[in-house]
Amino acid sequence: MTLKDNQGLDAIDRKLLGLLCEDAEQSYATLGDKVGLSAPAVHERVKRYKATGRISSVTAQLDPTMTGKPFLAFLHVDTTG
């Protein structure tokens, strides 16, 4: 039996989510080796995290100098009326 916290996560979930935060491009096999699960088991957990909203998106961090944009800003203006 696996102990889960108030959010329904066990120790493997926490470790796996931490590893994904560090590098979301790791293969399921690599992640599995790090948490002691098979690649298919990791895949199922990641699928569940996405389905439940624990993982809401995956983003890319751009190097401004490598993109030729030393200053990069995204601006959202919302107006009403």
Side-chain angles (χ1 to χ4, degrees):
M1 183 170 170
T2 305
L3 294 175
K4 297 200 179 230
D5 64 13
N6 294 339
Q7 287 75 39
L9 298 172
D10 62 20
I12 293 175
D13 290 321
R14 294 233 172 255
K15 176 79 173 169
L16 188 52
L17 289 167
L19 291 167
L20 288 167
C21 284
E22 291 172 11
D23 180 5
E25 290 189 336
Q26 297 178 75
S27 71
Y28 294 137
T30 299
L31 290 166
D33 288 342
K34 292 178 180 179
V35 299
L37 294 175
S38 66
V42 170
H43 180 243
E44 286 302 313
R45 285 186 185 231
V46 171
K47 238 175 34 175
R48 187 173 70 237
Y49 302 152
K50 289 178 179 179
T52 60
R54 286 190 202 278
I55 295 176
S56 58
S57 68
V58 179
T59 63
Q61 291 182 338
L62 304 177
D63 182 330
T65 57
M66 296 294 289
T67 59
K69 304 289 183 189
F71 179 78
L72 179 64
F74 293 95
L75 181 65
H76 173 82
V77 178
D78 189 12
T79 61
T80 57

